[in-house]
Amino acid sequence: MSSSYGDHFRMTVFGQSHSPAIGVTIEGIPAGVTLDFERLQRFLNRRAPGNNDWSTARKEKDRPEFISGLRGETTCGTPLTVLIRNTDTRSQDYEELSHVPRPGHADYTAFVKYSGFQDYAGGGHFSGRLTAPLCVAGGICLQLIGREGISVVSRIAQIGTVFDRGELTESTAEKEFPVVDDERGKAMRDLIAEVKADGDSVGGIVECAVLGVPAGLGDPMFDGMENRLAKMLFGIPAVKGLEFGAGFSFAGMRGSESNDAFFLQDEKVVTKTNRCGGILGGITNGMPVRFRVAFKPTPSIAGEQRSVDLRSGKECTVKVHGRHDPCIVVRAVPVVEAAAAVAVYDALLQRRKELG
Amino acid sequence: MSSSYGDHFRMTVFGQSHSPAIGVTIEGIPAGVTLDFERLQRFLNRRAPGNNDWSTARKEKDRPEFISGLRGETTCGTPLTVLIRNTDTRSQDYEELSHVPRPGHADYTAFVKYSGFQDYAGGGHFSGRLTAPLCVAGGICLQLIGREGISVVSRIAQIGTVFDRGELTESTAEKEFPVVDDERGKAMRDLIAEVKADGDSVGGIVECAVLGVPAGLGDPMFDGMENRLAKMLFGIPAVKGLEFGAGFSFAGMRGSESNDAFFLQDEKVVTKTNRCGGILGGITNGMPVRFRVAFKPTPSIAGEQRSVDLRSGKECTVKVHGRHDPCIVVRAVPVVEAAAAVAVYDALLQRRKELG
Amino acid sequence: MSSSYGDHFRMTVFGQSHSPAIGVTIEGIPAGVTLDFERLQRFLNRRAPGNNDWSTARKEKDRPEFISGLRGETTCGTPLTVLIRNTDTRSQDYEELSHVPRPGHADYTAFVKYSGFQDYAGGGHFSGRLTAPLCVAGGICLQLIGREGISVVSRIAQIGTVFDRGELTESTAEKEFPVVDDERGKAMRDLIAEVKADGDSVGGIVECAVLGVPAGLGDPMFDGMENRLAKMLFGIPAVKGLEFGAGFSFAGMRGSESNDAFFLQDEKVVTKTNRCGGILGGITNGMPVRFRVAFKPTPSIAGEQRSVDLRSGKECTVKVHGRHDPCIVVRAVPVVEAAAAVAVYDALLQRRKELG
Amino acid sequence: MSSSYGDHFRMTVFGQSHSPAIGVTIEGIPAGVTLDFERLQRFLNRRAPGNNDWSTARKEKDRPEFISGLRGETTCGTPLTVLIRNTDTRSQDYEELSHVPRPGHADYTAFVKYSGFQDYAGGGHFSGRLTAPLCVAGGICLQLIGREGISVVSRIAQIGTVFDRGELTESTAEKEFPVVDDERGKAMRDLIAEVKADGDSVGGIVECAVLGVPAGLGDPMFDGMENRLAKMLFGIPAVKGLEFGAGFSFAGMRGSESNDAFFLQDEKVVTKTNRCGGILGGITNGMPVRFRVAFKPTPSIAGEQRSVDLRSGKECTVKVHGRHDPCIVVRAVPVVEAAAAVAVYDALLQRRKELG
């Protein structure tokens, strides 16, 4: 089903930007896992809005409320439902959206799909706010895969025309503004401030690596590790591109350049290069799983844009109100990590069955 | 399950490069559809090996044998199974692969996943040959979506360092070597000949457009049209990147450049630009669905490569024998079309249920 | 996944007897359906505890709280989550159950499955209380199928050794104690009072008919209408048998007695007898879908029973405390109707896709 | 999907009574399993037609042809497809069935569902012949569960008005005509001969026990062991009833009679009685899983029956031609075992994942 993900760790994300709450229902978490709620909250805070210059003015504390699936702080094996209340909603900002779609948003396509009954306030189920429950599920998965020595790190690789330099490492990922080269990070923040001042927005790229993944995860042909990550990552609003390892650069390469030769290191098969992004034939090879995700600019911009009034059937203009991020990329970093963690944990459960 | 795809049109691809046959089992084709077998064969011939300079010397006629699901030439509503016999197999070429993995291939990861019991001959289930049954399923879907006015066109956008120029159109897609600019096509073919002579291989990019798609297809958050296409396309061997519309170029854009404004044309809502690739919020907007797929170079190259003997646990070298494509991209064009057709038809069945 | 049901109307039931709330997350309800909340509440009241002599003393108002999926009172097409708060819980009644399983309950098997981490209070996720969210989902489906002229009726066919007489009709189903023969109903209630006085419990049979079902629902071989209903009905706690139409009586029949001959009535194909229970080859034939469900006696009885202390590994005795129904069958009637409604609605969505 | 079963061992049954072949495609068999083909053939022979007095005159050798999924005689981890050719078909026997449905058969419902495009010859996909590929899948699962000490035994409990006496044991299950009391078995065979002579048919009951099942299988609420078995067993043509343990007899019991008390035996928790059929709360308790399956009489009988001509829209009569079993119950015994084996193995794979 559409807002669900996973074969073994099965989560369903629910809620709209302005419904009483948003949340997630999860099946498949093993019994007996004691959750670290503080660590989960710290993870959610990285995504929460209103915390800094580059995010929307909407303020939400994003405190998860556990409804079921626990006995005390430990999972009991049955479905886990978590809510996050919506508090700072201003539905009056959105009346016009019921019939005048904003360019670049899902307003028009939601109108068609739900025959005019879509919950348009704040973008409804299409709001970036729905990444909060995804981060709850992902934050739990990060704890689950962490027990098996797997971690997820990421950085901002590009914002607008500013590229980060250097190699992604664990220490990069711990920064508040995760780039290798802090000077470039400063340039990115300046660019965000500039587009914000212009009432404009800007896109970017997040690079992510999953470290410590065992060889053997992923199930070809259509549940390979790339397919699993792709199905998940394109569920994050604004994602329009995805590449693994050398990705699009492979197109310009020859096989003699692109193959990663095998070596032995401490009796383990390794590759020194990692152009394949840790995945061959859809299955992890034990090297880090590396991928890059392209985000389009937030479609909410200040100026007047051309649109169509679906009620009157006439062309018109629209001005976007409400509170928005000038650049979604920064807050998207933990969302990409959450998404990766869910995809990897689900593949891990599949693998566990095989190893029996 | 891993070699299955689709919620409504559900196909399972089976077989190995050297098993008696490969094939596909399909559930969910409506009863009463008369198939055009000649058209299907023509489509399969575009992918079949041994037909021209740029493909492997292995010759397979790829004649589909319909086992079930038909009454005469018309579907009867119950599962359809189609076989394609493997005839020109030379398993002796592959003995060494059971324990010395070829760099860039799935040999090593298959060894780990299947605990040494993988069918290594010819790459087993990981062989590009498995795209033949995918083309059977896709060829059927092309006929099914064709009845609703939907078609799929594609071109080679890049091979190695040679880029095509101009805009993809239906007439481009009909060419034997589908590029807009035939001069560039000539350069691509020359490059393939060159790398072949070098015993090397080369990657590339296929661009694809689905025309005539109605607005409203795709099911957010995780079964959006992008997610559906991605889960399918990353199932094609050698695919390492995927982008929709402007894709990775979005990263460098501002919102004021990237949004596609809405207009009316013959009382239909349209956009003049199509940077979003026909998809907003995971749902089609009625414009062509456009995407680009990056292929890595065929990993089979002539020279000696570094590897590891998994039996003796020692580093070693490997030389790849067997017959291979110097550039998989040309034969991949119909495979991408097949993949797109399956994904779109499955989404269409989902949509049909909603419209009731 | 285990606590989920449905391919198109997909519901996940969550919660434990003593968790903050129980509830259900539903995907697949079409947009634009205005729900009748009063009708839903009346339906839930039929199942709610504490309303009469034959049910547990636990009092719960069972007021559904809609968290998502609506705009006002109308569905917006995205996932719907509903909570029912647990208020009257007395967890201290259940401490011993963590390690001394009650015979006939799921205490022991839950202990094994969840490795001792099960939420044992009040039976946890295995409590009959979890039928409340099932009734929320079912109550919604009853409204959805009602729009297509389908209704569900049922009666108590047997309690202990007392059988109802006569034919199930719509007027029977509307009674507070739904039996055709009210004298037999009186005898059933007397029997319940008697076993209650004895500190004992008693089993029974519910008969159900789905009226107005169109021919063509159900998907052989394994998603036939019988399979679909069976998968759902055996999810109701205490259900141990299920038969369609003549069911087990078929075993003693000859074909010349058991076949339902076809006739025409108002140009519609009908049968006069309905021994097949409205289903042939897994597909509905347009006659009422009829089935009977056997419930075992509530395992909670007053006397001392033999058990095993799983902590000390010694045999012991157990006395069941807490508040319980002497006969679950009466409150199970609307649960069976809810279950049938969900199964039928899900099949109907599948059918809609075929009819396109 | 409808002709598919299983979450982990996923099989899709395909074919029609008169298509070139019938078969099954299976995903989820672990790599490295060496199959015993002779044992599989012996199992298939128990179901195969034409072997004795009580089965149809149609002769089929039912030799499975393995198309994929093996390297030699050992599974390689990727999908396994097996064909069984249809050889002894006489389609001319069935022309009338395209528009005059036989009472008790799926002819009418298939006509409605597939809008007149159903493959009516020999009952198409609804033929009992489709239980042959189910037996291939089940025969493989019997070997897989056998490695874990699990076996499936069954007997004919009733044919027409003749009941078997005594308790089902492993030695019973090995008989050619599996009943405890051979005198009653003789009476059953006499009854079958009698109804055959009358051109009539007769129903019956198969009792089955799965021995050696570990505690902890089954996934409540809707994938409990009862739900899993039910979804599978109602897929066998002619099954109309199913009960676990005491089943419908529970209705007449009191809790003080029906609960199975717990004891210790060799430090293992056991019950001396097994009224619950080895399942509590949907989860196995380590005792044998016991259930009974009711079959309706074969609907094919010699006399003239009332029907409707769907082409002319007039009432008419129909006489059934073709070759048929006077009593399907005897040949259904291995089919029930196959079905149980598949359901148990799939649950076992799920359990394996939990135990990690």
Side-chain angles (χ1 to χ4, degrees):
Chain A
M1 301 297 291
S2 63
S3 293
S4 296
Y5 181 90
D7 297 316
H8 305 292
F9 179 94
R10 179 85 181 167
M11 65 171 205
T12 303
V13 172
F14 55 82
Q16 301 110 248
S17 184
H18 292 200
S19 58
I22 55 179
V24 64
T25 293
I26 303 170
E27 284 195 272
I29 303 185
V33 177
T34 300
L35 297 177
D36 181 338
F37 292 99
E38 280 185 37
R39 183 178 160 198
L40 179 62
Q41 188 64 58
R42 282 197 306 275
F43 182 69
L44 296 178
N45 291 346
R46 286 175 59 199
R47 195 216 68 91
N51 290 332
N52 46 46
D53 282 359
W54 50 79
S55 87
T56 170
R58 178 172 173 176
K59 291 204 186 307
E60 292 284 1
K61 277 195 180 141
D62 285 2
R63 295 259 173 267
E65 178 188 349
F66 284 76
I67 297 296
S68 69
L70 298 178
R71 203 181 79 208
E73 303 194 333
T74 302
T75 59
C76 65
T78 51
L80 192 139
T81 289
V82 183
L83 299 188
I84 295 175
R85 295 281 163 185
N86 286 324
T87 53
D88 184 15
T89 59
R90 301 189 193 163
S91 292
Q92 70 285 7
D93 288 347
Y94 291 95
E95 286 309 318
E96 194 185 22
L97 300 189
S98 67
H99 55 105
V100 182
R102 297 166 296 176
H105 274 281
D107 300 340
Y108 172 62
T109 55
F111 179 92
V112 173
K113 182 162 189 73
Y114 304 115
S115 311
F117 294 104
Q118 78 282 6
D119 184 2
Y120 48 81
H125 191 61
F126 296 83
S127 166
R129 180 140 181 77
L130 271 290
T131 56
L134 173 52
C135 281
V136 171
I140 292 172
C141 284
L142 282 168
Q143 298 187 19
L144 290 164
I145 62 178
R147 298 163 158 237
E148 318 211 10
I150 305 171
S151 62
V152 181
V153 298
S154 51
R155 65 137 157 203
I156 301 168
Q158 182 182 343
I159 284 184
T161 48
V162 186
F163 297 76
D164 190 25
R165 278 183 294 208
E167 197 75 2
L168 166 61
T169 63
E170 296 191 55
S171 64
T172 309
E174 283 160 11
K175 298 182 184 178
E176 196 202 344
F177 196 93
V179 289
V180 175
D181 181 333
D182 293 329
E183 210 173 291
R184 293 299 181 99
K186 173 75 170 56
M188 290 176 184
R189 287 200 301 275
D190 289 348
L191 176 60
I192 295 172
E194 183 190 322
V195 299
K196 188 179 181 181
D198 294 351
D200 208 339
S201 64
V202 68
I205 292 176
V206 174
E207 183 189 346
C208 182
V210 190
L211 310 176
V213 185
L217 295 199
D219 309 272
M221 300 177 56
F222 305 110
D223 285 322
M225 205 62 236
E226 285 139 332
N227 315 60
R228 286 171 173 273
L229 283 161
K231 180 176 159 67
M232 169 53 87
L233 290 161
F234 281 110
I236 303 173
V239 169
K240 299 299 276 190
L242 173 63
E243 58 181 1
F244 293 88
F248 277 87
S249 311
F250 273 126
M253 288 186 189
R254 290 191 171 203
S256 51
E257 301 168 274
S258 63
N259 285 345
D260 302 301
F262 292 112
F263 298 90
L264 281 175
Q265 192 173 73
D266 305 331
E267 305 193 346
K268 213 187 129 199
V269 175
V270 298
T271 63
K272 290 183 185 165
T273 54
N274 186 10
R275 293 180 198 101
C276 71
I279 304 172
L280 287 171
I283 303 170
T284 56
N285 67 356
M287 302 305 295
V289 171
R290 302 188 92 95
F291 58 89
R292 288 157 43 95
V293 185
F295 288 83
K296 67 176 186 177
T298 320
S300 295
I301 52 174
E304 213 168 63
Q305 296 179 82
R306 304 280 310 251
S307 185
V308 167
D309 185 322
L310 300 168
R311 195 183 286 160
S312 67
K314 294 218 161 70
E315 295 190 346
C316 64
T317 59
V318 63
K319 279 192 70 131
V320 180
H321 306 288
R323 298 156 291 173
H324 303 288
D325 294 84
C327 178
I328 201 70
V329 180
V330 190
R331 286 177 59 211
V333 171
V335 179
V336 168
E337 294 174 13
V342 171
V344 167
Y345 185 63
D346 191 50
L348 205 64
L349 288 179
Q350 167 68 20
R351 178 66 175 153
R352 193 177 283 181
K353 186 181 72 189
E354 293 162 13
L355 295 176
Chain B
M1 299 297 289
S2 61
S3 292
S4 297
Y5 180 88
D7 298 315
H8 305 293
F9 179 94
R10 179 85 181 168
M11 65 170 202
T12 303
V13 172
F14 55 83
Q16 302 109 249
S17 184
H18 293 200
S19 58
I22 55 178
V24 64
T25 293
I26 304 171
E27 284 193 273
I29 304 185
V33 177
T34 300
L35 296 178
D36 181 339
F37 293 98
E38 282 185 36
R39 182 178 162 198
L40 178 62
Q41 188 64 59
R42 283 197 306 275
F43 183 67
L44 296 178
N45 291 347
R46 285 175 59 199
R47 194 217 69 92
N51 290 334
N52 46 46
D53 284 358
W54 50 79
S55 86
T56 169
R58 177 172 174 175
K59 291 205 184 306
E60 293 283 3
K61 277 196 180 140
D62 286 2
R63 294 260 174 263
E65 179 188 348
F66 284 77
I67 298 296
S68 69
L70 299 178
R71 203 180 78 208
E73 304 194 331
T74 302
T75 59
C76 65
T78 51
L80 192 139
T81 288
V82 184
L83 299 189
I84 295 175
R85 295 279 164 186
N86 285 324
T87 54
D88 184 14
T89 59
R90 301 189 192 161
S91 292
Q92 69 284 9
D93 287 347
Y94 293 94
E95 286 308 318
E96 191 186 24
L97 301 188
S98 67
H99 54 106
V100 183
R102 296 166 296 175
H105 274 282
D107 300 340
Y108 172 62
T109 54
F111 179 92
V112 172
K113 180 161 189 75
Y114 304 115
S115 311
F117 294 103
Q118 77 284 7
D119 184 2
Y120 48 81
H125 191 61
F126 296 84
S127 165
R129 181 141 181 75
L130 271 291
T131 57
L134 172 53
C135 281
V136 171
I140 293 172
C141 285
L142 282 168
Q143 296 187 20
L144 290 164
I145 62 177
R147 298 161 159 237
E148 318 210 12
I150 305 173
S151 62
V152 182
V153 297
S154 51
R155 63 134 157 206
I156 302 168
Q158 181 181 344
I159 284 184
T161 47
V162 186
F163 298 76
D164 189 26
R165 279 182 293 210
E167 195 76 4
L168 165 61
T169 64
E170 296 191 53
S171 63
T172 308
E174 283 161 10
K175 298 181 184 178
E176 195 203 343
F177 195 93
V179 289
V180 175
D181 182 333
D182 293 328
E183 210 173 291
R184 294 299 181 100
K186 174 74 171 57
M188 289 176 185
R189 286 199 302 274
D190 290 347
L191 176 59
I192 294 172
E194 183 191 320
V195 299
K196 189 180 181 180
D198 294 350
D200 209 339
S201 65
V202 66
I205 292 175
V206 174
E207 182 187 344
C208 184
V210 191
L211 310 175
V213 186
L217 295 199
D219 309 273
M221 300 177 54
F222 304 110
D223 284 322
M225 205 62 235
E226 287 140 332
N227 315 59
R228 286 170 173 274
L229 283 162
K231 179 176 159 68
M232 168 54 85
L233 290 162
F234 280 110
I236 302 172
V239 168
K240 298 299 276 189
L242 173 62
E243 58 181 0
F244 293 89
F248 277 88
S249 310
F250 273 127
M253 288 185 188
R254 292 193 171 201
S256 50
E257 300 168 273
S258 64
N259 286 345
D260 300 302
F262 292 111
F263 298 90
L264 282 174
Q265 191 173 72
D266 305 331
E267 304 194 347
K268 213 188 127 199
V269 175
V270 298
T271 63
K272 289 182 185 164
T273 55
N274 185 11
R275 293 179 198 103
C276 73
I279 304 172
L280 287 171
I283 303 169
T284 56
N285 68 356
M287 302 306 294
V289 170
R290 302 189 92 96
F291 57 90
R292 287 156 45 95
V293 185
F295 288 82
K296 67 176 185 176
T298 320
S300 295
I301 54 174
E304 214 169 64
Q305 297 179 80
R306 305 279 311 253
S307 184
V308 168
D309 186 322
L310 300 168
R311 194 183 288 162
S312 68
K314 294 218 158 72
E315 295 189 347
C316 63
T317 59
V318 63
K319 279 192 70 131
V320 180
H321 306 289
R323 299 155 292 175
H324 303 287
D325 295 84
C327 179
I328 200 69
V329 179
V330 190
R331 287 177 59 211
V333 171
V335 179
V336 167
E337 294 174 14
V342 172
V344 166
Y345 185 62
D346 190 51
L348 205 64
L349 287 179
Q350 167 69 22
R351 178 66 175 152
R352 192 177 283 180
K353 187 182 72 189
E354 294 162 13
L355 294 176
Chain C
M1 299 298 289
S2 64
S3 293
S4 296
Y5 180 89
D7 298 317
H8 306 292
F9 179 94
R10 178 86 182 167
M11 66 171 204
T12 303
V13 172
F14 56 81
Q16 300 110 249
S17 185
H18 292 199
S19 59
I22 55 179
V24 64
T25 294
I26 304 170
E27 283 194 272
I29 304 184
V33 177
T34 300
L35 297 177
D36 181 337
F37 293 100
E38 282 186 35
R39 183 179 161 198
L40 178 62
Q41 188 64 59
R42 282 197 307 275
F43 182 68
L44 295 178
N45 291 346
R46 286 175 59 199
R47 197 216 66 93
N51 290 333
N52 47 46
D53 282 359
W54 50 78
S55 86
T56 169
R58 177 171 173 175
K59 292 203 185 308
E60 292 284 2
K61 280 198 178 139
D62 286 2
R63 295 259 173 267
E65 179 187 348
F66 285 76
I67 297 296
S68 69
L70 298 179
R71 204 181 77 208
E73 304 195 331
T74 302
T75 58
C76 64
T78 51
L80 192 138
T81 288
V82 184
L83 299 189
I84 296 175
R85 294 280 163 185
N86 285 324
T87 54
D88 184 15
T89 59
R90 300 190 194 161
S91 292
Q92 70 285 9
D93 287 348
Y94 292 94
E95 287 308 319
E96 194 185 22
L97 301 188
S98 66
H99 55 105
V100 182
R102 295 166 297 176
H105 274 282
D107 300 340
Y108 172 62
T109 54
F111 179 92
V112 173
K113 183 163 187 76
Y114 303 116
S115 311
F117 295 104
Q118 79 282 8
D119 184 2
Y120 48 81
H125 191 61
F126 296 83
S127 166
R129 181 142 181 75
L130 271 291
T131 57
L134 172 53
C135 281
V136 171
I140 292 171
C141 284
L142 283 168
Q143 297 187 18
L144 290 165
I145 63 178
R147 297 164 159 235
E148 317 211 11
I150 306 173
S151 61
V152 182
V153 298
S154 51
R155 63 134 157 208
I156 301 168
Q158 182 183 341
I159 284 183
T161 49
V162 186
F163 297 76
D164 190 24
R165 279 183 295 211
E167 197 76 1
L168 166 60
T169 63
E170 296 192 54
S171 65
T172 308
E174 282 161 10
K175 297 182 184 179
E176 196 203 344
F177 195 92
V179 289
V180 175
D181 182 332
D182 293 329
E183 212 172 290
R184 293 298 182 99
K186 174 75 171 56
M188 290 176 185
R189 288 199 301 273
D190 289 347
L191 177 59
I192 296 172
E194 185 190 320
V195 300
K196 187 179 182 181
D198 293 351
D200 209 339
S201 65
V202 67
I205 293 175
V206 173
E207 183 188 345
C208 182
V210 190
L211 310 175
V213 185
L217 296 198
D219 309 273
M221 300 174 57
F222 305 109
D223 285 323
M225 205 62 236
E226 287 139 331
N227 314 60
R228 287 171 173 274
L229 283 161
K231 181 176 157 69
M232 169 52 86
L233 290 161
F234 280 111
I236 304 174
V239 168
K240 298 299 277 190
L242 173 62
E243 57 182 1
F244 293 89
F248 277 86
S249 312
F250 272 127
M253 289 185 188
R254 291 192 173 204
S256 52
E257 300 169 273
S258 64
N259 285 346
D260 302 303
F262 292 112
F263 297 90
L264 282 174
Q265 192 173 73
D266 305 332
E267 305 195 343
K268 212 188 131 199
V269 176
V270 298
T271 64
K272 290 182 185 166
T273 55
N274 185 10
R275 294 183 197 100
C276 72
I279 304 171
L280 286 171
I283 303 170
T284 57
N285 68 355
M287 303 304 295
V289 171
R290 302 187 91 94
F291 58 90
R292 287 157 44 93
V293 185
F295 288 83
K296 68 175 185 178
T298 321
S300 296
I301 53 174
E304 213 169 62
Q305 297 179 80
R306 304 280 310 253
S307 185
V308 167
D309 185 321
L310 300 167
R311 195 183 288 161
S312 67
K314 295 219 160 71
E315 294 190 346
C316 63
T317 58
V318 63
K319 280 193 68 133
V320 179
H321 306 287
R323 297 155 292 174
H324 303 289
D325 295 84
C327 178
I328 200 70
V329 179
V330 190
R331 287 176 58 209
V333 171
V335 179
V336 168
E337 294 174 13
V342 171
V344 167
Y345 184 63
D346 190 50
L348 204 65
L349 288 180
Q350 167 68 21
R351 179 66 175 153
R352 192 176 284 180
K353 186 182 71 189
E354 293 162 13
L355 295 175
Chain D
M1 299 298 289
S2 62
S3 292
S4 297
Y5 180 88
D7 297 317
H8 306 293
F9 179 94
R10 178 87 182 166
M11 65 172 203
T12 303
V13 173
F14 55 82
Q16 301 108 251
S17 185
H18 292 200
S19 58
I22 54 179
V24 63
T25 293
I26 303 172
E27 284 194 272
I29 303 185
V33 177
T34 300
L35 296 177
D36 181 338
F37 293 99
E38 282 185 35
R39 183 178 161 198
L40 178 62
Q41 188 64 60
R42 283 198 305 276
F43 182 68
L44 296 178
N45 291 347
R46 286 174 59 198
R47 194 217 68 90
N51 290 334
N52 46 45
D53 282 358
W54 50 80
S55 86
T56 169
R58 177 171 174 176
K59 293 205 185 305
E60 292 284 3
K61 279 198 179 138
D62 285 4
R63 295 258 174 265
E65 180 188 347
F66 284 76
I67 297 297
S68 68
L70 297 179
R71 203 180 78 208
E73 304 194 331
T74 302
T75 59
C76 64
T78 51
L80 192 138
T81 288
V82 184
L83 298 190
I84 296 175
R85 294 279 163 186
N86 285 324
T87 55
D88 185 14
T89 58
R90 301 189 194 161
S91 292
Q92 70 284 8
D93 287 347
Y94 293 93
E95 286 309 319
E96 194 185 22
L97 300 188
S98 67
H99 55 105
V100 182
R102 297 166 297 177
H105 274 282
D107 300 340
Y108 172 61
T109 54
F111 179 92
V112 173
K113 182 161 188 76
Y114 304 116
S115 311
F117 295 103
Q118 78 284 7
D119 184 1
Y120 48 82
H125 191 60
F126 296 83
S127 166
R129 181 142 181 75
L130 270 290
T131 57
L134 173 52
C135 281
V136 171
I140 291 171
C141 284
L142 283 168
Q143 297 187 20
L144 290 165
I145 62 178
R147 299 163 159 235
E148 319 211 9
I150 305 173
S151 62
V152 181
V153 299
S154 51
R155 63 136 157 206
I156 302 169
Q158 182 181 342
I159 284 183
T161 49
V162 187
F163 297 77
D164 189 25
R165 278 183 295 211
E167 196 76 2
L168 165 62
T169 64
E170 295 190 54
S171 64
T172 308
E174 283 161 11
K175 298 181 186 180
E176 195 202 345
F177 195 93
V179 289
V180 175
D181 182 333
D182 293 329
E183 211 173 290
R184 294 299 182 97
K186 173 72 171 59
M188 289 176 185
R189 287 199 301 273
D190 289 347
L191 176 60
I192 295 172
E194 184 190 320
V195 300
K196 188 179 181 180
D198 294 352
D200 209 339
S201 64
V202 67
I205 293 175
V206 174
E207 183 187 344
C208 184
V210 190
L211 309 176
V213 186
L217 296 199
D219 309 274
M221 299 175 58
F222 304 110
D223 284 322
M225 205 62 236
E226 288 139 332
N227 314 59
R228 285 170 173 273
L229 283 161
K231 178 174 160 69
M232 168 53 84
L233 291 161
F234 281 110
I236 302 173
V239 168
K240 298 299 277 190
L242 174 62
E243 57 182 1
F244 293 89
F248 277 87
S249 310
F250 273 128
M253 288 186 189
R254 290 192 173 202
S256 51
E257 300 169 273
S258 63
N259 285 346
D260 300 303
F262 292 112
F263 297 90
L264 282 175
Q265 192 173 73
D266 305 332
E267 304 195 344
K268 211 188 129 200
V269 176
V270 298
T271 63
K272 290 181 186 167
T273 55
N274 186 9
R275 294 183 197 100
C276 72
I279 304 171
L280 286 171
I283 303 170
T284 56
N285 68 356
M287 303 305 296
V289 170
R290 301 189 91 95
F291 58 90
R292 288 156 44 93
V293 185
F295 288 83
K296 68 175 186 178
T298 320
S300 294
I301 53 174
E304 214 169 64
Q305 298 179 81
R306 305 278 312 253
S307 185
V308 167
D309 186 322
L310 300 167
R311 197 183 286 161
S312 67
K314 294 220 159 71
E315 294 189 348
C316 64
T317 59
V318 64
K319 279 193 70 133
V320 179
H321 306 287
R323 299 154 292 175
H324 303 288
D325 295 83
C327 179
I328 200 71
V329 179
V330 190
R331 287 176 59 210
V333 171
V335 180
V336 168
E337 294 174 13
V342 171
V344 167
Y345 185 62
D346 191 50
L348 205 65
L349 288 179
Q350 167 69 22
R351 178 67 175 151
R352 192 177 282 180
K353 186 182 71 189
E354 294 163 13
L355 294 176

